[in-house]
Amino acid sequence: MFTLFAALVHVAVTLVSAQGLVSADMGHLFDKRLSSGCSPSGLASCSTPIPSDLCCFESPGGLILQTQFWDTNPSTGPSNSWTIHGLWPDHCDGTFSTNCDPSRDYTNIAGLLTSQGASDTLSFMQQFWVDINGQNEQFWEHEWAAHGTCYSTLKTSCLPSGSPQGAEAVAYFQRVVALFQTLPTYNWLASQGITPSTTQTYTLAQLTSALKTASGFTPTLGCSGSAINQISWYFHLSGSLFDGQLSRSTSTSDSPKQSTCASSGLTYPPK
């Protein structure tokens, strides 16, 4: 088992804070998250047989997928960072459910985060989780409603007694941000000599090999025409999304979906 979440925190802070993308005091994002009471070293998601307690075992969406955007037309986020798309639970086979609990389609995500002491998470989202049309609030509401409500470990019945309404959504956004901060895609590409350019082209193999060398595992790239514009990182989860451990299992393909990019002639345009 290749443990990522805890092991990469120090590396990510060093790499990302050097570029001014995150404060060195990243630990406060973890401290404010709810405690699930689940063991973070339990059975990893996508394993069988499936336990009966789905508050401590993510199912059926056990393969956790984080995607990031590289938007250039118009550009979003800092010129030296990819941005957050979301985090959703894949069914371990390339499919996933959406909009699982309309009763929890919360609005005013910014107000929810602020009222529950997560204004630092909101500030980060305002820079790095941004909508291409400037509709950040609608973007966040969509990602929570479409994907956040589908986590078995984030059901309201799994919340600690006395939790305020929307606490599971706050925990979701905090976890997305904390995970994103351990996945500095821009820095990993740059460490292998790949930076945005108006003239340079790459093969898909060059890009994926560079990312595997820098990060330790292979993500899936997405393209719009010849330009790379999306990347997907996959994890298994032990315990709850509130505070469980995210890792990659060596018994499963790093990325179950195929890239949408051509095999050659790919561009990485500047923002």
Side-chain angles (χ1 to χ4, degrees):
M1 184 73 72
F2 175 78
T3 302
L4 177 77
F5 194 64
L8 281 182
V9 169
H10 176 72
V11 175
V13 171
T14 301
L15 287 172
V16 183
S17 62
Q19 301 239 0
L21 303 185
V22 61
S23 72
D25 185 26
M26 197 176 76
H28 66 291
L29 290 174
F30 296 83
D31 295 338
K32 291 180 181 177
R33 284 190 280 118
L34 295 173
S35 173
S36 67
C38 302
S39 171
S41 58
L43 189 67
S45 56
C46 295
S47 302
T48 54
I50 297 173
S52 58
D53 182 5
L54 297 188
C55 285
C56 292
F57 182 84
E58 191 58 54
S59 179
L63 192 59
I64 309 304
L65 161 65
Q66 189 186 78
T67 54
Q68 300 177 9
F69 282 145
W70 181 257
D71 291 324
T72 60
N73 186 28
S75 63
T76 60
S79 62
N80 60 347
S81 176
W82 291 56
T83 56
I84 300 170
H85 181 178
L87 186 75
W88 55 87
D90 185 290
H91 288 174
C92 306
D93 61 5
T95 66
F96 54 90
S97 300
T98 58
N99 302 103
C100 297
D101 186 358
S103 71
R104 293 188 292 143
D105 287 358
Y106 302 128
T107 58
N108 190 14
I109 300 300
L112 189 65
L113 291 167
T114 300
S115 68
Q116 296 191 27
S119 56
D120 47 5
T121 298
L122 175 61
S123 295
F124 191 90
M125 288 165 56
Q126 289 168 336
Q127 286 186 278
F128 297 96
W129 197 339
V130 287
D131 179 68
I132 195 169
N133 296 313
Q135 302 297 317
N136 292 351
E137 179 64 40
Q138 292 180 19
F139 188 17
W140 303 334
E141 290 173 6
H142 168 78
E143 289 303 309
W144 164 252
H147 305 296
T149 62
C150 292
Y151 284 92
S152 70
T153 60
L154 292 185
K155 288 185 176 181
T156 52
S157 58
C158 301
L159 288 168
S161 177
S163 297
Q165 184 180 31
E168 78 281 18
V170 173
Y172 168 79
F173 287 106
Q174 288 181 307
R175 193 67 195 257
V176 177
V177 165
L179 178 58
F180 175 78
Q181 291 177 323
T182 70
L183 298 169
T185 301
Y186 183 95
N187 302 65
W188 281 337
L189 286 169
S191 73
Q192 302 303 306
I194 298 175
T195 55
S197 169
T198 57
T199 58
Q200 184 68 45
T201 61
Y202 302 95
T203 66
L204 179 60
Q206 282 178 308
L207 294 168
T208 54
S209 176
L211 287 164
K212 185 169 186 177
T213 297
S215 71
F217 58 107
T218 307
T220 297
L221 285 167
C223 289
S224 176
S226 64
I228 59 172
N229 71 338
Q230 184 163 287
I231 190 166
S232 301
W233 301 93
Y234 292 86
F235 305 88
H236 288 163
L237 174 65
S238 296
S240 167
L241 193 72
F242 286 126
D243 52 10
Q245 181 166 282
L246 290 162
S247 60
R248 177 180 64 87
S249 171
T250 56
S251 64
T252 303
S253 171
D254 289 338
S255 304
K257 284 192 174 182
Q258 295 295 313
S259 170
T260 60
C261 301
S263 60
S264 61
L266 301 181
T267 61
Y268 184 22
K271 291 185 180 183

